[in-house]
Amino acid sequence: MRLVLLGPPGVGKGTQAARLGLRFGVPHVSTGEMFREALSQKTPLGMEAQKYMDAGKLVPDDITIGLVRERLSRPGVSSGFILDGFPRNLVQARALEDVLRDLGAALDAAVSIEAGTETVVRRLSGRRQCRRCGAVYHVEFNPPSEPGRCPKCGGELYQRDDDREETVRERLRVYMAETEPVIEFYRQRGLLVSVDGERDIDEVTQSIISALKEGNAVEESVSDGDS
Ligand code: ADP
Ligand code: AMP
């Protein structure tokens, strides 16, 4: 299973990618997480990426594409991946085609998760992430059992710097200008699957799996049951 998840910041790509990764037994590959990890380890890549992330801009294509090419060439992704946060513009979308062609692989689908600006702003402002294991929660929609503590590993939950209001506005602008055209790119290739992201987390997972089945990207034997 090789999927790309598309949609505005805060729509639920990371949340759904983690669930779909478990369901299909393939890794969740998030470029945003790769940059955040590099930053927490203070590597040169992390320090360079931080300048763009803090400003709500895209990290330059040469850096991001190189990172994805390397990640998708590792053995752990030979049976598939759920790619979240990449591609974010048309240059990256074409580069992904090249990377996959070189690997002799192809995408099964590009899933566009759709929700309005009001919804994504609410989701971003309440998002909390674990510093240790990276799990994502929401203070209202997916609250941890103990505020500020990760139920999975006990790590500290924090609010991402780029979820501040001014940065969110810029990220949404960048999304509309640069990333939205990627949806049309995949529509033209017959790979696009669109789902309503306004519904709750379980319902969105179910609609993605159902939509993939309708498009024959998933074997009927994969259960529609609990996620
Ligand atoms: P993205 O990866 O697209 O930026 P996330 O998966 O991090 O988005 O989700 C953003 C926030 O919204 C998180 O706090 C997450 O818990 C919450 N969330 C995700 N999906 C839903 C949903 N369907 N309904 C309500 N809250 C959601
Ligand atoms: P995300 O975790 O997907 O919300 O990404 C957080 C930030 O990382 C973005 O706002 C960008 O600054 C950077 N980033 C993540 N993925 C990409 C990408 N594909 N291209 C460029 N920048 C990216």
Side-chain angles (χ1 to χ4, degrees), residues 32-44:
E33 276 307 303
M34 288 157 83
F35 289 134
R36 279 186 290 281
E37 267 168 37
L39 180 57
S40 74
Q41 291 162 11
K42 300 202 164 38
T43 66

Side-chain angles (χ1 to χ4, degrees), residues 201-219:
I201 294 175
D202 282 338
E203 288 173 328
V204 177
T205 309
Q206 287 314 314
S207 35
I208 294 175
I209 292 171
S210 305
L212 291 174
K213 280 184 182 170
E214 274 165 34
N216 290 324
V218 170
E219 301 276 333

Side-chain angles (χ1 to χ4, degrees), residues 9-10 13 30-33 35-36 49-50 52-61 64-65 68 84-89 92 124 127 129 160 162-163 167 171:
K13 299 180 298 296
S30 156
T31 42
E33 276 307 303
F35 289 134
R36 279 186 290 281
Q50 183 182 25
Y52 301 94
M53 295 167 83
D54 282 352
K57 310 271 189 215
L58 296 185
V59 176
D61 288 336
T64 311
I65 291 167
V68 169
D84 148 27
F86 187 96
R88 258 180 155 97
N89 61 29
Q92 294 182 6
L124 290 171
R127 171 158 65 185
Q129 184 160 12
R160 278 171 47 177
D162 61 349
D163 283 347
T167 319
R171 287 163 68 204

Side-chain angles (χ1 to χ4, degrees), residues 7-17 84 88 113 119-120 122-124 126-128 136-139 141-142 160 163 171 197-202 204:
V11 78
K13 299 180 298 296
T15 301
Q16 297 302 329
D84 148 27
R88 258 180 155 97
I113 308 178
T119 299
V120 300
R122 276 183 77 190
R123 289 184 185 172
L124 290 171
R127 171 158 65 185
R128 298 293 181 273
V136 172
Y137 302 90
H138 191 282
V139 291
F141 306 129
N142 181 22
R160 278 171 47 177
D163 283 347
R171 287 163 68 204
E198 294 277 353
R199 290 183 291 161
D200 75 26
I201 294 175
D202 282 338
V204 177

